[in-house]
Amino acid sequence: MQSPAFVLEILGLTHFLELTMTSDAGNENCLGWAARDPSGFLSPYKFNRRDVGVDDISITITHCGVCYADVAWTRNVLAHSKYPLVPGHEIVGIVKCVGSNVQRFKTGDHIGVGTYVNSCRECEYCDDGLEVQCSKGAVFTFDGIDTDGTVTKGGYSSHIVVHERYCYKIPENYPLASAAPLLCAGITVWTPMMGHKMNQPEIQGLTHFLELTMTSDAGNENCLGWAARDPSGFLSPYKFNRRDVGVDDISITITHCGVCYADVAWTRNVLAHSKYPLVPGHEIVGIVKCVGSNVQRFKTGDHIGVGTYVNSCRECEYCDDGLEVQCSKGAVFTFDGIDTDGTVTKGGYSSHIVVHERYCYKIPENYPLASAAPLLCAGITVWTPMMGHKMNQPGKSLGVIGLGGLGHMAVKFGKSFGLKVTVFSTSLSKKDEALNLLKADNFIISSNNEEMKAMEKSLDFIINTASGDIPFDQYLSLLKSGGVLSLVGFPSEVKFHPASLNRGMKSISGSLTGGTKQTQEMLDYCANHEIYPNIEIVPIQYANEALERLIKKDVKYRFVIDIANSLK
């Protein structure tokens, strides 16, 4: 026996949407829930309904029935779904306003809309009130092409605008929630039972097809993740395929993934090249599930890590030197990159990943996996320039600009190397943490000119982990002769007077992250010297809040997602 119909309470949904929509993407006037891809997963979506024409009715939707057609279209079972897709064609509500020609309805009336919202209105079927059989094709309430060329969007939304002809009076004494299923389920069986011999074979055929195909999850997706579908950056569950394990590959069950500001930038399309759906995350750790036949360095059960890139040409001078991130042909980023087979890479906010052995790292067994995750971006990003400029020699002086995920690791490395470490920050609130928690030797408010002047010609090396603009001339004045200012952040411009470099033989250098050899060396060093990032572990369901807090710099000092215990 079939289960009773589900009916969505749209008024409550609308209130929820008003609380959850992160921003107004323009002048969209309607709130809804939409599928963005064939996973069929629905999430909040804003869009425009047309203005009310002379023959139209604007309806505040109170309830919408849930039909199997909603499953089929959101999951693209019939291979013609147009995304973003707002389902729902068992719609009831209250008349908000009417066009000047409307005769049958007035504001406040109870009203319904069914499976179609337009037709030619000229053929014999339309003349007989059988618009669903329109010779030119009725326009379905969602995912249909309307007469103006727009794609229709259904009742999982706050309101709808429909021509009077395709609206139905709901008797005042009939509950609106109960009326919703009548507009598809009810009329579908009513029609043949009433003997009109118009048995709508397309609907019966669809129902039979759905019963055969929708009893289990559509497709053969083998990986569960969280993805952004558009530049709002909002993350929600998403199923997709990882490739099969090749002879040189490792399949990794992900246990944890660090949260990096790159996750914000890419999910929100800051650099204008994001490819959706986008699964972020490039500070990945986990356990080896299985290995390809050629793999030598790993076996099932090993602790393993994956960083910011997962492929390179493996032929150029940089790849030969274990500096694959500098690959002449471009390293392939762990998410939103174009791999050698043309597919788009998807990151660590997911249940597992398949990666070539070369781009994987051994996590020492005595090192906590959750703590290892941030090392694979934040850690290696500051380690690389510090080692490249020989800032691992005791007695040297290090300046660290910014005290976030990268900056706090620079302080930890500096103290471990035996350096005298000074932290520069715009926030006095970080002084206690810098000095007492991270054990920095000095803390300077960068806007205090007297404190800055007192530091002139005192530092061998400054690492700028911040992405805000800084006074380069002033910071260069803090360097000793031959000193280096290294950029790992991304200020909007680098501006300084040439004399700031020429006098004192000073340099400005840049660095992105490290090669595979450097990354493994850093991981081993952290394990041997018990260096651990300061982390806040969160479930995947907290990912959107974590990204918002990261934007506000409200984290000490790195979020790590507990994939193993929260991604189900």
Side-chain angles (χ1 to χ4, degrees):
M1 185 173 73
Q2 195 173 30
S3 302
F6 287 105
V7 177
L8 301 175
E9 182 181 359
I10 300 297
L11 287 178
L13 173 64
T14 301
H15 175 65
F16 175 73
L17 284 166
E18 290 171 346
L19 295 176
T20 58
M21 297 299 284
T22 55
S23 63
D24 192 334
N27 61 348
E28 295 87 349
N29 59 26
C30 191
L31 303 174
W33 274 45
R36 270 67 170 200
D37 55 59
S39 72
F41 184 84
L42 300 169
S43 58
Y45 171 61
K46 294 188 76 174
F47 62 100
N48 274 321
R49 293 290 192 187
R50 71 169 186 264
D51 294 335
V52 179
V54 294
D55 299 310
D56 290 334
I57 300 173
S58 179
I59 302 165
T60 298
I61 300 173
T62 61
H63 300 83
C64 185
V66 178
C67 175
Y68 260 123
D70 303 343
V71 176
W73 262 258
T74 56
R75 300 191 180 194
N76 201 25
V77 170
L78 301 182
H80 55 52
S81 297
K82 297 171 282 295
Y83 298 104
L85 190 150
V86 179
H89 60 200
E90 296 179 342
I91 303 167
V92 294
I94 298 170
V95 175
K96 181 178 181 182
C97 64
V98 301
S100 57
N101 290 348
V102 173
Q103 301 295 319
R104 293 192 300 124
F105 297 90
K106 65 182 185 302
T107 300
D109 281 355
H110 289 191
I111 192 169
V113 177
T115 58
Y116 52 93
V117 290
N118 218 332
S119 62
C120 77
R121 307 177 206 160
E122 298 174 350
C123 69
E124 61 183 307
Y125 302 106
C126 288
D127 286 345
D128 287 340
L130 296 171
E131 295 88 348
V132 70
Q133 300 296 335
C134 175
S135 297
K136 296 182 180 179
V139 177
F140 291 155
T141 302
F142 65 85
D143 202 50
I145 303 297
D146 214 342
T147 51
D148 63 356
T150 60
V151 178
T152 57
K153 299 191 186 311
Y156 291 27
S157 56
S158 56
H159 81 283
I160 193 169
V161 177
V162 182
H163 190 286
E164 174 186 32
R165 177 170 182 152
Y166 309 95
C167 297
Y168 311 99
K169 282 185 177 290
I170 307 298
E172 292 291 329
N173 64 338
Y174 199 89
L176 283 171
S178 297
L182 300 180
L183 295 162
C184 175
I187 191 61
T188 298
V189 295
W190 168 277
T191 302
M193 290 175 70
M194 293 300 290
H196 289 289
K197 299 181 181 179
M198 298 297 294
N199 60 353
Q200 303 186 21
E202 73 281 8
I203 295 179
Q204 287 187 342
L206 171 64
T207 302
H208 177 64
F209 178 68
L210 289 168
E211 289 173 348
L212 293 176
T213 61
M214 299 308 296
T215 54
S216 61
D217 199 4
N220 60 346
E221 296 88 353
N222 59 27
C223 191
L224 176 62
W226 274 48
R229 270 67 170 202
D230 55 56
S232 72
F234 185 83
L235 298 168
S236 56
Y238 170 62
K239 293 191 75 175
F240 62 100
N241 273 321
R242 294 289 191 188
R243 70 170 185 263
D244 294 336
V245 178
V247 294
D248 299 308
D249 290 334
I250 301 173
S251 179
I252 302 165
T253 298
I254 299 174
T255 61
H256 299 84
C257 185
V259 178
C260 175
Y261 196 84
D263 302 344
V264 175
W266 262 259
T267 56
R268 300 192 180 197
N269 201 25
V270 170
L271 302 180
H273 56 52
S274 297
K275 296 170 280 296
Y276 299 102
L278 189 151
V279 179
H282 61 198
E283 295 180 342
I284 302 167
V285 294
I287 298 170
V288 175
K289 182 179 181 181
C290 63
V291 302
S293 58
N294 290 347
V295 172
Q296 301 295 320
R297 293 192 300 125
F298 296 90
K299 65 182 184 303
T300 300
D302 282 353
H303 290 190
I304 192 169
V306 176
T308 58
Y309 51 93
V310 292
N311 218 332
S312 62
C313 77
R314 306 175 208 159
E315 298 173 350
C316 69
E317 58 181 312
Y318 302 105
C319 288
D320 285 345
D321 287 341
L323 294 171
E324 296 87 348
V325 68
Q326 302 296 335
C327 175
S328 296
K329 296 183 180 178
V332 177
F333 291 155
T334 301
F335 65 83
D336 201 50
I338 302 298
D339 214 341
T340 51
D341 62 357
T343 59
V344 178
T345 56
K346 296 186 178 353
Y349 291 24
S350 56
S351 55
H352 81 281
I353 192 168
V354 177
V355 182
H356 189 286
E357 175 188 26
R358 177 169 182 155
Y359 309 94
C360 297
Y361 309 102
K362 283 185 176 290
I363 307 297
E365 292 291 329
N366 65 334
Y367 199 89
L369 282 172
S371 296
L375 299 180
L376 295 161
C377 176
I380 189 60
T381 297
V382 295
W383 171 278
T384 300
M386 291 178 71
M387 297 298 288
H389 293 280
K390 298 181 172 58
M391 286 303 296
N392 60 342
Q393 298 174 359
K396 287 189 174 183
S397 54
L398 167 70
V400 178
I401 303 174
L403 196 61
L406 277 67
H408 96 289
M409 287 305 305
V411 174
K412 286 175 180 282
F413 287 142
K415 294 303 297 180
S416 175
F417 294 150
L419 310 182
K420 183 178 180 181
V421 180
T422 298
V423 172
F424 296 88
S425 176
T426 59
S427 176
L428 183 60
S429 64
K430 293 189 176 182
K431 182 175 182 178
D432 181 67
E433 296 167 10
L435 298 178
N436 297 319
L437 178 65
L438 300 176
K439 306 302 181 184
D441 299 281
N442 198 8
F443 181 89
I444 301 294
I445 293 294
S446 56
S447 60
N448 188 317
N449 290 329
E450 290 183 5
E451 291 185 4
M452 293 289 283
K453 188 170 181 60
M455 293 294 296
E456 286 184 357
K457 299 182 180 180
S458 66
L459 302 174
D460 293 290
F461 187 80
I462 300 174
I463 186 165
N464 180 20
T465 69
S467 289
D469 291 332
I470 63 169
F472 279 87
D473 287 307
Q474 187 174 34
Y475 276 106
L476 287 168
S477 73
L478 308 186
L479 291 171
K480 299 176 182 178
S481 293
V484 177
L485 170 57
S486 179
L487 304 182
V488 294
F490 288 86
S492 63
E493 65 175 4
V494 177
K495 186 177 181 180
F496 57 88
H497 195 282
S500 296
L501 294 186
N502 297 345
R503 290 190 299 227
M505 300 182 298
K506 300 169 185 177
S507 303
I508 292 180
S509 70
S511 184
L512 188 61
T513 183
T516 55
K517 181 180 178 181
Q518 295 166 317
T519 303
Q520 189 63 61
E521 289 173 350
M522 176 208 59
L523 289 166
D524 294 338
Y525 182 89
C526 288
N528 292 333
H529 292 80
E530 298 183 345
I531 298 174
Y532 306 104
N534 292 55
I535 61 175
E536 180 177 338
I537 299 176
V538 298
I540 187 70
Q541 293 77 13
Y542 192 76
N544 289 301
E545 288 83 353
L547 293 177
E548 288 295 329
R549 283 180 57 190
L550 187 57
I551 293 170
K552 298 174 184 176
K553 301 180 181 179
D554 178 24
V555 54
K556 299 174 184 177
Y557 286 92
R558 204 66 159 179
F559 288 114
V560 174
I561 300 172
D562 185 354
I563 299 291
N565 291 311
S566 64
L567 182 59
K568 306 296 182 182

